[in-house]
Amino acid sequence: MKTSSTTAPHHNSGISLARLFQTSEAVRGYTLLSPTLLALLLGLAMPLAVLFTLSFWIQDYLDFIRTFSLKNYIDFFQKPIYGKILIKSIRMSGLVTLATVLLAYPMAYFIAFRIQHNKLIWLILITVPFWTSYLLRVFAWKLMLGYNGVINSGLKTLGFISEPLEFLLYNPAAVMITLAHAWAAFAILPIYVSLEKIDRSLLEAARDLGENAFITFVRVTLPLSLPGVIAASLLVFIPTVGDYVTPSLVGGPSGIMIGNIIQSMFGKALNWPLGAAISVISMLTVALMISLFLWGTQSFRRKVA
Amino acid sequence: MNDQRPWWRPDGFLLYAIIYLTFIYLPVLFLPLFSFNSSKYIAFPLKSFTLKWYHQMVNSPSMLEALLNSVKVGLIVAIVSTILGLLAAKALTRYRLPGRGSVISFIMIPLVIPEIILAISLLILISQLDIPLSLWTVGFSHSLLCTPFAMLVLISRMEGFDNSLEEAALDLGENGWMTFWRVTFPIVLPGIVASLLLTFTISFDEFVLAFFLSSTDATLPIYIWSSLRFPTKIPAVLALGSSIFVISFFVVSFAEWLRRRGIKLESTSGI
């Protein structure tokens, strides 16, 4: 490619423009990219810009007052409920992420290192439950934890309880269990991929040099699989922090998350600008948490490796 | 399996894997169970075996219409996002682009924004532009969400692609389109099939964007969402969910069979 772009010196500007198009990799590449980039500009950059703008407007019955105002942001910080729910959501999603990744790691490790044949079968086995509709998977936990649900009926049949336990459903713990279940596959697959990529001779070398299995894991396997762990954490944390389906099905009043608040601003509460402001603040907070997390994992990596 | 395991360390990993699989399978397995239970309440104890919910499912026009809507949207989304992903993947693997990293991050943004925020941003824009909500707006939003997935699948297929094959075809006098059709396309085909399947699946199951961006035409997840509030409608929904599960099982098995057959053909023909 490089040779063809430098051989012919062009004099005529008309020809050179055509030639530039044919030979310049950047121009051809971006031409090919342009439909995708255009779609994303239209469907992503513009909406986010509009969201940002709207967060500075004020709701006036069914219309907006379109002059710049900080009212929504002031509202957010004056009414502690929004901030509290945002922090609670981040804490809940953080715990879900931690639990999901910790539970997924040994499973991914098992498939990557202990299974010699038919790894694909194991991977398919893990993804099969996730072909069920997301909504029905969440509903399944209502079935597990509900008043006449699986756990209560089971415990009753076994004689451990005489009356169904009512505290199982409609609380933050139910939301977190359901989320940890719903996103399990998203944690296993990236961790598996990063473990699978590790050069086995590195592990043998560490063992040959006299390190025991645990030290080998901490100093070689774990740091090398960190990209997978990071990807898994983000893949679970980002969608769960904004989820409103799970909290509204199994969370009850005490289990609501920031997604429910945003949804209500665009529904019953009908205050789009405030909803937009809450979204902007949530997005910035989530971005901050992610940066902190990435910074933390990077320094961990440098310390160990 | 590792044969040199000392006697004092039984395979804890295998045990763990079994417990883990139980955890992810158990709740989901109760769904088909209740689709065959004759009580209309989704609770224990079970009553008797019945197929009436499957009859109800087939005779529910609103449910079937929602299913059809989801299939329609899913097909269009699969095609649009795979084309957009293919163009992007081609450009990113074939050419040395300045700003490659930023382009990739930009295309990946839909994956790192909570869906509800993507949904309301699009809702605001669409309402400000006075565009009526419909299945088209749902399809548009799904295509945005699916394009990064399509691109990732196709990039991983194209990364090993040998550019000299294309150059050879061009040197032999094929034009750009024929080169694509006869050289590039067959090699990338498995990636395209994977991308179509993946994006269709994502769109088919997507609820949040569809909830905010549709009007009266419901997609299947919207129908499911609204029936979860009416206990009497749930058994038929479970029947549909179980049917879809069985169908997707066969589709995936078929795709896997095709893939293996493809590998066998490739290895016998020496490619």
Side-chain angles (χ1 to χ4, degrees):
Chain A
M1 272 331 286
K2 201 145 198 180
T3 48
S4 64
S5 64
T6 46
T7 41
H10 15 73
H11 306 288
N12 187 312
S13 69
I15 293 173
S16 77
L17 205 67
R19 186 155 296 168
L20 179 76
F21 182 76
Q22 276 186 347
T23 53
S24 161
E25 294 209 359
V27 174
R28 293 176 69 179
Y30 274 104
T31 312
L32 207 53
L33 264 173
S34 56
T36 314
L37 288 181
L38 197 70
L40 281 164
L41 274 178
L42 203 72
L44 191 70
M46 256 173 73
L48 288 177
V50 175
L51 175 82
F52 193 66
T53 314
L54 184 76
S55 71
F56 295 105
W57 291 353
I58 297 169
Q59 184 86 33
D60 181 30
Y61 299 101
L62 292 174
D63 209 351
F64 308 122
I65 300 172
R66 292 159 200 256
T67 45
F68 180 86
S69 150
L70 285 172
K71 181 178 177 296
N72 301 310
Y73 290 91
I74 294 168
D75 272 3
F76 181 93
F77 289 105
Q78 270 182 347
K79 291 181 190 147
I81 175 90
Y82 301 130
K84 261 189 198 156
I85 292 180
L86 177 60
I87 292 168
K88 190 179 83 176
S89 308
I90 288 174
R91 208 174 48 220
M92 282 167 71
S93 288
L95 280 171
V96 167
T97 309
L98 189 70
T100 314
V101 170
L102 282 181
L103 290 173
Y105 200 99
M107 190 69 201
Y109 187 93
F110 171 73
I111 302 176
F113 288 108
R114 293 299 179 85
I115 301 289
Q116 312 291 344
H117 309 288
N118 296 326
K119 289 188 186 201
L120 193 69
I121 299 288
W122 277 88
L123 291 175
I124 291 177
L125 211 57
I126 280 166
T127 45
V128 164
F130 301 96
W131 299 346
T132 320
S133 147
Y134 181 74
L135 293 169
L136 290 182
R137 276 186 343 249
V138 175
F139 177 75
W141 279 98
K142 222 172 160 171
L143 217 68
M144 293 289 286
L145 304 171
Y147 191 76
N148 281 320
V150 177
I151 293 177
N152 273 326
S153 313
L155 289 176
K156 228 164 124 182
T157 315
L158 294 172
F160 287 122
I161 52 171
S162 53
E163 282 300 305
L165 306 169
E166 285 186 49
F167 61 83
L168 294 176
L169 196 59
Y170 302 127
N171 57 48
V175 175
M176 289 193 279
I177 294 173
T178 308
L179 287 174
H181 176 261
W183 296 91
F186 289 81
I188 291 186
L189 296 179
I191 297 174
Y192 165 76
V193 169
S194 67
L195 285 171
E196 191 60 49
K197 273 189 195 156
I198 295 177
D199 188 348
R200 301 300 197 263
S201 57
L202 283 176
L203 304 180
E204 279 165 30
R207 298 303 293 272
D208 289 347
L209 290 170
E211 301 280 28
N212 66 31
F214 180 71
I215 299 289
T216 307
F217 174 77
V218 172
R219 303 208 46 181
V220 183
T221 316
L222 187 61
L224 286 175
S225 66
L226 217 50
V229 172
I230 293 170
S233 309
L234 297 183
L235 277 175
V236 176
F237 182 72
I238 293 167
T240 51
V241 80
D243 192 18
Y244 72 94
V245 171
T246 309
S248 41
L249 282 178
V250 299
S254 69
I256 60 167
M257 293 173 72
I258 199 69
N260 300 81
I261 303 288
I262 296 175
Q263 195 251 328
S264 74
M265 291 298 161
F266 285 83
K268 286 190 300 262
L270 194 69
N271 191 340
W272 286 25
L274 181 57
I278 297 174
S279 306
V280 171
I281 294 170
S282 308
M283 243 187 325
L284 292 177
T285 317
V286 168
L288 183 74
M289 303 306 290
I290 292 171
S291 319
L292 280 177
F293 170 74
L294 291 177
W295 177 78
T297 45
Q298 280 305 317
S299 56
F300 167 79
R301 210 169 169 187
R302 247 171 296 156
K303 216 182 281 172
V304 181
Chain B
M1 294 278 156
N2 196 346
D3 297 323
Q4 291 161 334
R5 196 182 320 290
W7 60 269
W8 43 263
R9 233 180 75 208
D11 199 345
F13 274 110
L14 185 64
L15 195 70
Y16 181 81
I18 291 166
I19 295 171
Y20 193 94
L21 285 180
T22 315
F23 167 67
I24 59 174
Y25 270 85
L26 191 68
V28 177
L29 288 179
F30 282 103
L31 300 172
L33 182 71
F34 280 100
S35 75
F36 294 112
N37 181 31
S38 65
S39 165
K40 69 179 166 207
Y41 299 106
I42 308 295
F44 284 101
L46 295 171
K47 280 173 95 180
S48 59
F49 179 84
T50 179
L51 285 176
K52 70 176 169 186
W53 308 121
Y54 287 84
H55 285 289
Q56 203 182 81
M57 166 187 104
V58 190
N59 294 315
S60 160
S62 55
M63 188 192 283
L64 294 178
E65 200 194 312
L67 175 66
L68 189 68
N69 285 339
S70 276
V71 172
K72 274 194 252 175
V73 172
L75 286 176
I76 291 175
V77 168
I79 293 168
V80 171
S81 57
T82 300
I83 290 174
L84 291 178
L86 187 65
L87 292 173
K90 181 78 188 146
L92 289 167
T93 50
R94 178 73 167 78
Y95 302 105
R96 265 166 292 148
L97 293 180
R100 184 176 191 269
S102 353
V103 169
I104 294 183
S105 338
F106 180 62
I107 297 177
M108 303 292 266
I109 288 178
L111 299 187
V112 296
I113 294 184
E115 255 180 78
I116 185 165
I117 292 180
L118 201 59
I120 57 160
S121 310
L122 279 165
L123 176 66
I124 298 167
L125 178 70
I126 287 168
S127 71
Q128 289 294 299
L129 294 175
D130 274 326
I131 298 169
L133 294 176
S134 66
L135 290 178
W136 290 104
T137 49
V138 176
F140 178 69
S141 70
H142 282 185
S143 304
L144 286 175
L145 181 69
C146 291
T147 300
F149 287 101
M151 184 185 78
L152 286 180
V153 169
L154 290 161
I155 282 183
S156 69
R157 178 71 195 177
M158 283 178 170
E159 254 168 358
F161 184 83
D162 189 356
N163 282 332
S164 58
L165 284 175
E166 273 188 347
E167 279 162 28
L170 286 169
D171 287 348
L172 289 169
E174 296 278 32
N175 62 32
W177 171 245
M178 285 309 278
T179 305
F180 171 78
W181 190 242
R182 294 179 56 173
V183 179
T184 319
F185 184 72
I187 293 176
V188 183
L189 189 62
I192 293 178
V193 173
S195 162
L196 288 172
L197 277 175
L198 180 69
T199 50
F200 179 86
T201 317
I202 294 170
S203 163
F204 190 77
D205 193 33
E206 203 291 326
F207 169 69
V208 177
L209 290 165
F211 178 76
F212 280 96
L213 298 174
S214 64
S215 61
T216 48
D217 291 323
T219 62
L220 192 59
I222 296 175
Y223 180 86
I224 295 175
W225 173 256
S226 57
S227 20
L228 289 181
R229 273 179 296 160
F230 301 100
T232 49
K233 280 186 174 179
I234 293 175
V237 169
L238 296 185
L240 182 69
S242 312
S243 314
I244 291 173
F245 180 83
V246 171
I247 293 169
S248 42
F249 183 81
F250 280 111
V251 170
V252 171
S253 311
F254 181 65
E256 174 60 16
W257 177 77
L258 272 184
R259 196 185 68 90
R260 290 197 173 192
R261 204 167 145 256
I263 291 171
K264 224 178 260 170
L265 283 179
E266 268 180 33
S267 58
T268 47
S269 62
I271 295 174

